[in-house]
Amino acid sequence: MEKFTTLQSRAIPLHIENVDTDQIIPARFLKATDRKGFGDNVFRDWRYHKDGTINTDFVLNDLTYSGTILVAGDNFGCGSSREHAAWAITDFGFKVVVSSFFADIFKGNALNNGLLPVQVSPAFLSDLMQKIVSKPETVLVVNLEKQTISVKDSELSENFEIDAYKKTCMINGYDDIDYLVNNKEQIEAFEAHKIY
Amino acid sequence: MGKTLFDKVWDSHVVSSIENGPQILYIDKHLIHEVTSPQAFNELEERGIPVFRPNQIVATADHNTPTLNQDQPIKDDLSRNQLEQLSENCKKNNITLYELGHKYNGIVHVMAPELGVTQPGLTMVCGDSHTSTHGAFGAIAFGIGTSQVAQVFASQCLLLTKPKSLRVTVNGKLKNGVLPKDVILYIISKLGTNSGTGYFCEYAGNVFEDMSMEGRMTVCNMSIEMGARGGMIAPDETTFNYVKGKEFAPKGDDFEKKVAYWKTLPTDDDATFDKEYSFDAEDIEPMITYGTNPGMGIKISESIPMDENLSFKKSLAYMNFEAGESLIDKPINFVFIGSCTNSRIEDFRVAADYIKGKKKAENVTAWLVPGSKQVEAQIIEEGLKTIFDEAGFELRQPGCSACLAMNDDKIPQGEYCVSTSNRNFEGRQGQGSRTILASPLVAAATAVEGKIIDISKQLN
């Protein structure tokens, strides 16, 4: 997993609530057996019309916006557990997703792929959206060590929560498999003395 | 202080706790399928890590399988490759696989309970969010991502922070024509799609106690649609009778010992929950959804609510519905009875009971997709297939099918489908398709009438 410490980038505003993982990557693209290439089809049915032409109304096709931070509406990543959603977002180039609320499984999948989910207050999210829409060149600064997200050259800033263990993993690029495999003896001891 | 059902099962599975961090949770049963496992197998192979406990893994092919001509080679190259990889991976790692055509093949959340793999007090995971289904037995069961599939392969454990607890109680007598699907759609419509996020939900009250295991599975299945990682119902005689005699259930004295243990699992009287809701059974009516998330549900007799929220408006625009309108008499051309929510024998009995002696409306394409080979066999054995055939319904072969439309079972662009599945997301049943979630009874009635009707009026 790639390490994550700080990120400065412009951001893309996706002003939609309850974005489910079927929208992030539709089921018909889940037939691949490796992790790469899903970025081509991220938000496929919002980015393209059914005839394959580009939907210029969709924000990812709006050249006004760019950057590696996706700022999305409440309850992002609900629905299917498909990790392909996290793979698609990272493969497209995003490193951070900001929302006022994340669905559990998506959040876990993101963290397992070095994609940082930054949960902010609804008020801060609303300010952020407005700021980016009114000034697309706005730069956001995400500092994982300090757990802050701020708008560069402004007062706008907020702290965010992250599990201490997951924070260490993100900063150092560790993943859970390493930890679990190193604890095999303990797991075997548990198996030998199961109480149920 | 007393413990909840969830506490008891969780606490008995904690291997150890990291200070200020997650816990190592032991996983008893790991269910896998073709779509979310290949990358996990690859990862283990790349890192040179063997599968730790292959005999605790059960595999099936379901998401990406055809529901016609299953005896013939799969035409789509990518789908065929995915299924071949599953077979190879299982063979290489000594994992039991019920592949396409096997008498135990089926949707993972239908076949595992049928085989007795699912039992009270266990921890179970699968790379599929509807793993919450198995909570109907009083197990902790939840969906995981592929990285976690790899973790369980490698260690039979996961690193998790214990979720908070939530209890939804429904007491009273359900009205005629109100099915378990209506109960859960009603709960989600009241609580919303993220009320359960961060929580594990226990369903309590006489409504759930009186339900069959099939009904309980329908309820727990949709826990994830309100954001809860899992749902649970306390195991009781209904549970024990269901598990007894199943292929992988404990036998003889062993079974009795297990039952004695399972009886200790229900929530203690003095246990407390982080959040509680309760509803009256009498308030619930046959339900239907009108929007693009499962929380957007109404009683079938109600009108679509008014809301100025942008996402709400976007959702209605996608569905081509107007705020304030009723869905009664809306013409419907597609009906799907199937999915891990409603593809068990009881669901087909309900449908057949309504359909018997009637004919499907001419404009309707009606697909019936059993959840497993065992359900399919039972449909034939009980004579339900004859009823379906005579009424013009098409009984297909088992699989996830049009619930997520990974195979050829797609609803065309712009068409409505009254569906017994679990998600009405944009394009879920095919690009541009519009899903209306309902119970098997409402779905059957829609197919017969060719339009949505107020089933409660017809029944009473």
Side-chain angles (χ1 to χ4, degrees), chain A residues 1-2 35 83 86-87 90 105-117 165-166 169-170 173-177, chain B residues 43 47 144-149 151 158-160 229:
Chain A
M1 203 170 78
E2 259 182 66
R35 291 176 183 233
E83 193 161 314
W87 299 335
T90 46
I105 305 180
F106 176 81
K107 195 184 199 171
N109 287 342
L111 287 165
N112 282 333
N113 286 280
L115 174 69
L116 184 67
Y165 165 80
K166 276 292 168 196
C169 288
M170 288 283 289
Y174 300 155
D175 67 22
D176 291 354
I177 288 194
Chain B
E43 183 168 354
R47 295 165 77 148
I144 56 176
T146 297
S147 294
Q148 291 175 308
V149 171
Q151 290 162 28
L158 283 172
L159 279 167
L160 295 167
R229 199 79 184 259

Side-chain angles (χ1 to χ4, degrees), chain B residues 320-437:
Chain B
N320 198 25
F321 289 150
E322 304 279 341
E325 78 170 330
S326 158
L327 296 186
I328 304 291
D329 290 337
K330 281 272 175 202
I332 302 292
N333 295 329
F334 289 84
V335 168
F336 171 63
I337 301 182
S339 87
C340 57
T341 313
N342 283 119
S343 65
R344 298 178 182 84
I345 189 64
E346 202 171 83
D347 302 314
F348 293 101
R349 285 185 192 138
V350 165
D353 193 45
Y354 181 87
I355 293 164
K356 197 171 186 176
K358 300 186 178 86
K359 285 260 183 267
K360 171 188 80 63
E362 271 188 21
N363 60 308
V364 173
T365 300
W367 291 333
L368 306 171
V369 181
S372 68
K373 288 295 275 184
Q374 293 207 65
V375 172
E376 183 188 37
Q378 214 170 340
I379 287 173
I380 296 166
E381 204 179 287
E382 293 185 12
L384 309 185
K385 184 176 186 306
T386 317
I387 297 172
F388 296 140
D389 287 347
E390 284 171 1
F393 287 68
E394 189 185 349
L395 181 67
R396 295 188 155 218
Q397 291 167 306
C400 298
S401 179
C403 172
L404 84 166
M406 265 194 88
N407 65 1
D408 290 337
D409 306 349
K410 297 185 201 306
I411 307 303
Q413 165 112 13
E415 289 285 354
Y416 294 108
C417 177
V418 170
S419 174
T420 66
S421 53
N422 39 57
R423 288 184 174 138
N424 49 353
F425 298 152
E426 285 183 28
R428 171 83 177 180
Q429 297 192 287
Q431 249 183 302
S433 63
R434 296 169 171 147
T435 303
I436 296 170
L437 301 175

Side-chain angles (χ1 to χ4, degrees), chain A residues 35 50 83 178 191 196, chain B residues 26 28 43 53 147 413:
Chain A
R35 291 176 183 233
K50 201 174 178 195
E83 193 161 314
D178 297 329
E191 285 179 321
Y196 55 91
Chain B
Y26 190 79
D28 296 309
E43 183 168 354
R53 294 287 180 249
S147 294
Q413 165 112 13

Side-chain angles (χ1 to χ4, degrees), chain A residues 107-162:
Chain A
K107 195 184 199 171
N109 287 342
L111 287 165
N112 282 333
N113 286 280
L115 174 69
L116 184 67
V118 174
Q119 187 165 326
V120 296
S121 67
F124 186 81
L125 182 71
S126 167
D127 288 347
L128 217 53
M129 286 277 189
Q130 270 178 21
K131 195 98 186 168
I132 300 164
V133 171
S134 64
K135 203 177 152 208
E137 58 276 21
T138 299
V139 169
L140 306 186
V141 184
V142 177
N143 186 322
L144 178 56
E145 190 75 57
K146 291 185 182 157
Q147 297 179 219
T148 56
I149 174 166
S150 13
V151 173
K152 203 180 175 190
D153 305 323
S154 92
E155 300 281 290
L156 208 58
S157 180
E158 197 170 81
N159 293 324
F160 63 87
E161 296 289 322
I162 182 169

